[in-house]
Amino acid sequence: RIGKKRVEEELNCGGCGYDTCRDFACALIEDKAEPAMCVSYLRKLAQNKAAALIKAMPSGVVIVDENLKIIESNARFIQIIGDDASIISEADPDLEGAYLERLVDFHELFAEALREGTEVKIQDIRRNGRIIRLTLFSIQKHLVLGGILQDITEPMIQSEQIIEKANEVMKKNLTTVQQIAFLLGENAADSEVLLSSIIQSFANKDAPK
């Protein structure tokens, strides 16, 4: 129940209040203990949750140690930096153990933030014709640093995303609007008109002149 399946995983740290992991297991069977009492279980659970969140984030994320060795990263990070990272990711999708300085030319910004113990630092980087917004944040001062990368180059992309989302909202809600239109009168119809005007506005703005 707490993920310990081998003898070497039995730490016997006593953090749960029992002398050994086996004593704790017996207490679990007898409903005298709960999995959350195990410190290593809670730590692993927290790590799994953090890893899941990192993978789900739409921005590029990378976490490095004091030697700029990658602890974890997500697919969007690999996509943004490309080059060697894409090749390495075929063997290890998280790039765990890879050195950041061999993958990006702005690794010195990470090193500087680690040395200074930076809490939060934001900087725009020009790279391969794009502008990457880099947000650095301290996880463990001078020891573990996180970085978030966002490609902010194309305003057109932002407009297209808004148009796409507005279209999606309209399609999903059109049936509901039609069903309740007679109850809400013009207000319901106005919602559809408003969404249409937003789409049209962006479409006109981005249309070639």
Side-chain angles (χ1 to χ4, degrees), residues 68-87:
L68 296 187
K69 198 173 183 180
I70 294 178
I71 297 173
E72 193 157 2
S73 67
N74 65 1
R76 181 58 179 152
F77 170 75
I78 296 169
Q79 184 182 359
I80 289 175
I81 63 173
D83 302 329
D84 292 342
S86 300
I87 299 173

Side-chain angles (χ1 to χ4, degrees), residues 8 13 32 45 47 57 96 103 114 118 170 179 198:
E8 53 267 30
C13 66
K32 294 179 180 178
L45 191 63
Q47 288 174 336
M57 285 184 68
E96 184 179 355
L103 300 176
L114 278 164
T118 304
M170 256 187 61
Q179 290 175 347
I198 292 173

Side-chain angles (χ1 to χ4, degrees), residues 105-198:
D105 50 9
F106 50 88
H107 56 84
E108 186 54 39
L109 294 174
F110 283 78
E112 183 181 329
L114 278 164
R115 286 194 301 268
E116 296 175 353
T118 304
E119 290 296 329
V120 178
K121 184 176 183 180
I122 300 174
Q123 185 167 339
D124 290 344
I125 302 164
R126 293 188 177 275
R127 186 174 189 269
N128 299 331
R130 296 181 298 169
I131 300 175
I132 306 298
R133 176 155 294 168
L134 174 64
T135 303
L136 298 173
F137 57 97
S138 181
I139 297 175
Q140 279 184 275
K141 211 167 185 178
H142 306 297
L143 294 175
V144 182
L145 184 76
I148 298 176
L149 287 76
Q150 295 171 295
D151 188 346
I152 60 170
T153 306
E154 295 287 349
M156 178 74 74
I157 293 174
Q158 298 173 12
S159 297
E160 288 174 355
Q161 288 176 343
I162 293 174
I163 293 171
E164 184 181 343
K165 288 295 181 184
N167 266 319
E168 187 179 331
V169 170
M170 256 187 61
K171 288 176 182 177
K172 287 183 177 180
N173 291 285
L174 186 57
T175 302
T176 305
V177 168
Q178 290 171 340
Q179 290 175 347
I180 65 174
F182 73 98
L183 293 175
L184 300 182
E186 293 182 358
N187 289 335
D190 285 346
S191 297
E192 184 179 346
V193 172
L194 178 60
L195 284 169
S196 296
S197 67
I198 292 173

